[in-house]
Amino acid sequence: MREADIQINRVDWIAVSIYFALVIIGWFNIYAAVYDSQVEKSIFDLSINSGIQLVWIGTALVLITIIMVADSRFFENLSLVIYLVFLVLLVLTPFVGKEVNGQILSIGFGNFRIQPGEFAKFATALALAKVMERPTFDLSKKNYQLIAFGVLLLPMVLIILQPDTGTAMVYFAFFLMFYREGLPSYYFIFGFGFVAVTLLALGVANNLFLVAGIVGIVLILIFLGKRTWQRIVAFSLIGLGVIVYIYSIDFVVSKLPPHQQNRIMVLFNPNLDPLGVGWNVTQSKIAIGSGGLFGKGYLEGTQTKFDFVPEQHTDFIFCTLGEEFGWMGSLVVISLFVGLLYRLVIMAERQKTRFTRIYGYCVVSILLFHFMINIAMTIGLFPVVGIPLPFFSYGGSSLWSFTVLLFIFIKMDSSRATQLGRLG
């Protein structure tokens, strides 16, 4: 009992409080997104999304209780088993899953269905932490890089095959953790240059991306070799690669589903199809902009009330917040997310074991990626890729997976004194 009391006292209640604040604010916004003044159903009504979300919030509390009473070593000892289980589920999903809008994302029985792709994020985080926890694991060496990238790419490829490009993109967030754990910086320089060249090849980049691409290539040359002949060879290879890449990008893009091709083009030209593909983003920006400084008031959003923005309770939930609570309301929610991320970094840095620190930075990376991309998507700075806002968007799999991801780390953090004892 005494050990349990010590662990309870060590729970980071700041992170827990921010979690519940986001969940509750998100729940009220889900109700606002589906509110119909002509019907006026209660927020607790199980026939509408807010009522269903409340059930998922209740079950999330059960998951939190299970995680917090479990031994923290459970997740460490079974991390690779959990990872393998979700790899199997990802393999099975295209064969036994339910197809929605051309994607097979969920499996289950009857009305109870989950998306393995959502849960695979925390499973991958656990597996990476387990694989990389050894003191000899050095990300500056190629063989260890291949191991880490292999663990990352397996679920990513399986998710792409569903196809679920948005969820697969999230796995790039793990590179933030890799950087913290010693991955050479030239990987990020190359990645930055890759993005710049991609935008140039698509013919949609402006001078900013042109400059960024040139700077990236110059920095790559500096890192690739110190001698003149090495830099000449490197420059020639990069130049050849860029030429091949530019000529092949049209082929690659042409292989994407039509709706994904259109989303990429609409991002850089919103007027391309304002009544079709560009409708969601255009209406989302109108909703957020019309909120002004303090918003129109709760349940008073016209863009929300008349369903101008499709999927407003899921991927576009942020525009509901922006319209009804304005700039100030958006600032409060953004501040909560930033505060949670900052707190998680502090928690990760104070860990006594490498396993927990790595897992903590995985949590930070995933939440940061979702937070940034979702909001950027709703204001037209990123293509619509179907990435939910953590703890905020409607959906059982989304809420459960983010809850499990976060509270496993909170549990590990609360047990750090015990971890120190094991190390001793």
Side-chain angles (χ1 to χ4, degrees), residues 105-178:
L105 306 180
S106 63
I107 59 175
F109 303 95
N111 293 327
F112 177 77
R113 312 193 71 83
I114 64 169
Q115 294 183 17
E118 291 291 337
F119 291 91
K121 298 170 192 174
F122 88 85
T124 304
L126 286 171
L128 284 170
K130 187 64 177 178
V131 168
M132 296 172 58
E133 71 172 343
R134 292 172 297 170
T136 57
F137 197 98
D138 186 357
L139 277 177
S140 66
K141 298 179 179 178
K142 299 297 182 183
N143 55 330
Y144 291 112
Q145 292 172 10
L146 290 175
I147 294 172
F149 294 166
V151 173
L152 179 66
L153 286 174
L154 273 175
M156 187 177 177
V157 170
L158 292 173
I159 291 171
I160 289 175
L161 294 176
Q162 292 184 0
D164 186 3
T165 309
T167 301
M169 285 178 58
V170 176
Y171 285 79
F172 286 110
F174 285 104
F175 276 85
L176 294 175
M177 178 275 293
F178 289 155

Side-chain angles (χ1 to χ4, degrees), residues 178-205:
F178 289 155
Y179 182 72
R180 166 61 181 82
E181 296 302 319
L183 186 70
S185 57
Y186 59 75
Y187 279 92
F188 296 89
I189 296 170
F190 175 77
F192 186 68
F194 177 83
V195 172
V197 173
T198 299
L199 295 173
L200 287 169
L202 289 172
V204 293

Side-chain angles (χ1 to χ4, degrees), residues 63-370:
L63 291 175
I64 291 172
T65 303
I66 293 172
I67 291 170
M68 296 307 292
V69 300
D71 191 323
S72 61
R73 288 172 292 185
F74 170 83
F75 306 105
E76 181 177 351
N77 295 337
L78 293 182
S79 54
L80 294 180
V81 174
I82 295 171
Y83 175 72
L84 291 174
V85 167
F86 279 101
L87 283 183
V88 172
L89 291 177
L90 288 174
V91 170
L92 293 176
T93 298
F95 301 100
V96 300
K98 181 180 179 180
E99 181 175 345
V100 178
N101 296 328
Q103 296 177 307
I104 305 177
L105 306 180
S106 63
I107 59 175
F109 303 95
N111 293 327
F112 177 77
R113 312 193 71 83
I114 64 169
Q115 294 183 17
E118 291 291 337
F119 291 91
K121 298 170 192 174
F122 88 85
T124 304
L126 286 171
L128 284 170
K130 187 64 177 178
V131 168
M132 296 172 58
E133 71 172 343
R134 292 172 297 170
T136 57
F137 197 98
D138 186 357
L139 277 177
S140 66
K141 298 179 179 178
K142 299 297 182 183
N143 55 330
Y144 291 112
Q145 292 172 10
L146 290 175
I147 294 172
F149 294 166
V151 173
L152 179 66
L153 286 174
L154 273 175
M156 187 177 177
V157 170
L158 292 173
I159 291 171
I160 289 175
L161 294 176
Q162 292 184 0
D164 186 3
T165 309
T167 301
M169 285 178 58
V170 176
Y171 285 79
F172 286 110
F174 285 104
F175 276 85
L176 294 175
M177 178 275 293
F178 289 155
Y179 182 72
R180 166 61 181 82
E181 296 302 319
L183 186 70
S185 57
Y186 59 75
Y187 279 92
F188 296 89
I189 296 170
F190 175 77
F192 186 68
F194 177 83
V195 172
V197 173
T198 299
L199 295 173
L200 287 169
L202 289 172
V204 293
N206 54 30
N207 292 334
L208 174 64
F209 290 110
L210 175 61
V211 173
I214 295 173
V215 171
I217 290 174
V218 170
L219 290 174
I220 291 171
L221 294 177
I222 293 174
F223 276 94
L224 284 179
K226 296 181 179 180
R227 298 181 180 179
T228 303
W229 71 268
Q230 291 176 325
R231 293 182 180 180
I232 292 175
V233 171
F235 180 80
S236 301
L237 291 175
I238 290 174
L240 179 62
V242 169
I243 293 172
V244 173
Y245 184 70
I246 289 175
Y247 278 95
S248 63
I249 190 67
D250 287 337
F251 172 78
V252 174
V253 172
S254 68
K255 296 303 179 182
L256 292 173
H259 69 281
Q260 292 182 358
Q261 296 181 39
N262 292 333
R263 285 172 178 176
I264 292 173
M265 300 312 298
V266 165
L267 170 66
F268 299 98
N269 185 7
N271 297 321
L272 182 66
D273 188 10
L275 299 179
V277 178
W279 175 265
N280 286 20
V281 175
T282 300
Q283 296 303 317
S284 175
K285 291 193 290 185
I286 291 174
I288 294 172
S290 67
L293 183 60
F294 295 105
K296 299 175 181 177
Y298 187 55
L299 304 181
E300 297 297 327
T302 54
Q303 295 291 113
T304 298
K305 185 181 299 182
F306 296 109
D307 297 326
F308 281 102
V309 185
E311 306 301 328
Q312 193 161 335
H313 58 296
T314 53
D315 299 339
F316 284 88
I317 189 69
F318 187 77
C319 70
T320 302
L321 174 74
E323 182 180 19
E324 298 195 344
F325 294 97
W327 185 86
M328 291 301 297
S330 301
L331 178 63
V332 169
V333 170
I334 290 174
S335 297
L336 286 172
F337 273 109
V338 172
L340 177 60
L341 291 167
Y342 176 72
R343 193 66 192 172
L344 292 175
V345 170
I346 292 175
M347 291 165 62
E349 286 296 332
R350 72 188 182 194
Q351 297 311 307
K352 311 301 182 182
T353 67
R354 193 176 183 190
F355 176 89
T356 311
R357 185 186 71 233
I358 292 172
Y359 180 79
Y361 270 100
C362 287
V363 176
V364 173
S365 300
I366 293 171
L367 294 181
L368 175 64
F369 188 91
H370 271 270

Side-chain angles (χ1 to χ4, degrees), residues 22-92:
L22 288 170
V23 169
I24 292 171
I25 296 172
W27 178 51
F28 277 102
N29 275 274
I30 290 170
Y31 178 61
V34 299
Y35 175 74
D36 186 346
S37 59
Q38 302 298 319
V39 180
E40 293 190 359
K41 291 184 178 180
S42 167
I43 192 173
F44 302 100
D45 195 320
L46 294 178
S47 66
I48 59 176
N49 290 334
S50 61
I52 299 173
Q53 185 75 3
L54 183 61
V55 174
W56 286 331
I57 292 172
T59 52
L61 294 176
V62 175
L63 291 175
I64 291 172
T65 303
I66 293 172
I67 291 170
M68 296 307 292
V69 300
D71 191 323
S72 61
R73 288 172 292 185
F74 170 83
F75 306 105
E76 181 177 351
N77 295 337
L78 293 182
S79 54
L80 294 180
V81 174
I82 295 171
Y83 175 72
L84 291 174
V85 167
F86 279 101
L87 283 183
V88 172
L89 291 177
L90 288 174
V91 170
L92 293 176

